[in-house]
Amino acid sequence: MSRPALIVHGGAGPVPVAERPQRQAAVERALAAGWALIGSGALAAAVAAVRHLEDEPLLNAGIGACLNLEGDVELDAGVMEGSLLRAGGVGAVRDVRHPIDLAMEVMKDGRHVLLVGDGASRFARSHGVELCDPSTFIIDRERQQHGAEGDTVGAVARDSEGHLAVAVSTGGVHNKWPGRIGDSPIPGAGMFADDRFGAVCGTGQGEAFMRLGLARLMVIELEHGMDPAAVANGAIALLESAMHAVGGVIVVGREGSPQAAFNTPAMPFAVAE
Ligand code: ASP
């Protein structure tokens, strides 16, 4: 038996101080949505938390996500479960109501790990995943153009059977080139889960996470016996020293409390255990 745990974050991006309490409240609502499902397993809990956050307009995922250079929303999401190292991700989708649902379908289907763009939308249609008009994600064009970067959402969970899972969803970075995909849906870059060692999720400049293979590196450090707090802090130190980048990470080890670290002024996160 393991002690269940869930940690949810709402991104480490620069946001007005006045908005921080609302973002923290959104993360806490997501924590409650996820924790309610922890009895159904780590994967169910992590996905439920992220699915909730895709509907929180202040955060950079789903509704309210940041805009690309052409003023469109293109969404990435990913999921990984640590028992069989199964993973699923979607990138640059415009018309999928809950990108995290589609990432789950990609993982369950099992043929591929990452689907993008129109092909991902066609896969959604053929697997009964809800589609929507792309305008659904735009509610405040001015704010989404300038303010939504860095509020990617993610969750990492451990259930009573010791299974670990991670889920993540994002609009990426604002003014990104159309078709740009970040680290979030890529196992080993923005997320990784392995029941034997731990599970992690990142937020911040995705290109830096990809170049460092940061999520995989963190799990290797857990494998080598580093404690989760040291792994989280070390990841942020490396992000800063090697890439001059900013961001945040959350970590759940095989045991112990979830950990978070970031090198920006704030990263809303919440923990249940
Ligand atoms: N990592 C995300 C990306 O680069 C953005 C973020 O977490 O703020 O797509």
Side-chain angles (χ1 to χ4, degrees), residues 150-152 170 172-173 180 182-184 203-206:
D151 308 315
T152 289
T170 185
V173 292
R180 179 266 189 191
D183 59 316
S184 300
T203 177
Q205 293 164 2

Side-chain angles (χ1 to χ4, degrees), residues 2-273:
S2 287
R3 187 159 57 92
L6 174 65
I7 180 167
V8 181
H9 80 78
V15 297
V17 174
E19 283 187 11
R20 283 189 201 158
Q22 290 162 272
R23 287 166 202 263
Q24 181 66 32
V27 167
E28 282 167 19
R29 287 191 287 275
L31 182 79
W35 193 241
L37 290 186
I38 194 71
S40 303
L43 184 62
V47 168
V50 164
R51 195 174 197 278
H52 176 93
L53 287 169
E54 288 180 340
D55 283 350
E56 291 280 359
L58 273 184
L59 300 173
N60 179 18
I63 292 173
C66 67
L67 306 182
N68 69 13
L69 267 177
E70 291 172 347
D72 297 318
V73 168
E74 290 187 328
L75 300 166
D76 302 343
V79 65
M80 183 162 184
E81 57 89 42
S83 57
L84 296 170
L85 304 181
R86 293 192 307 162
V90 296
V93 294
R94 294 166 175 240
D95 60 355
V96 176
R97 180 65 185 81
H98 279 286
I100 195 67
D101 288 353
L102 186 54
M104 273 289 282
E105 281 305 317
V106 172
M107 184 179 86
K108 282 197 279 184
D109 179 80
R111 278 175 290 175
H112 305 297
V113 169
L114 184 59
L115 294 179
V116 304
D118 288 346
S121 294
R122 291 215 303 274
F123 184 89
R125 205 167 294 121
S126 69
H127 284 69
V129 175
E130 185 184 351
L131 296 170
C132 65
D133 191 277
S135 66
T136 308
F137 299 117
I138 300 177
I139 47 170
D140 180 348
R141 190 166 275 283
E142 177 62 20
R143 190 190 70 78
Q144 287 172 248
Q145 188 69 60
H146 301 293
E149 179 173 341
D151 308 315
T152 289
V153 306
V156 180
R158 179 180 66 220
D159 63 30
S160 62
E161 293 183 0
H163 295 310
L164 299 169
V166 53
V168 53
S169 187
T170 185
V173 292
H174 70 68
N175 281 335
K176 64 186 182 180
W177 195 267
R180 179 266 189 191
I181 293 167
D183 59 316
S184 300
I186 300 177
M191 52 116 181
F192 202 78
D194 185 331
D195 281 5
R196 296 170 298 169
F197 313 118
V200 307
C201 182
T203 177
Q205 293 164 2
E207 283 72 10
F209 279 78
M210 287 190 274
R211 288 164 63 196
L212 290 170
L214 195 56
R216 188 72 187 100
L217 178 62
M218 291 169 73
V219 174
I220 289 172
E221 290 176 339
L222 292 168
E223 176 176 355
H224 290 174
M226 272 174 76
D227 76 276
V231 168
N233 290 325
I236 296 304
L238 181 63
L239 196 64
E240 201 166 298
S241 63
M243 295 283 142
H244 307 293
V246 294
V249 294
I250 54 176
V251 183
V252 174
R254 272 169 40 79
E255 51 196 30
S257 294
Q259 301 295 327
F262 49 95
N263 63 352
T264 58
M267 179 176 83
F269 70 93
V271 173
E273 53 183 324

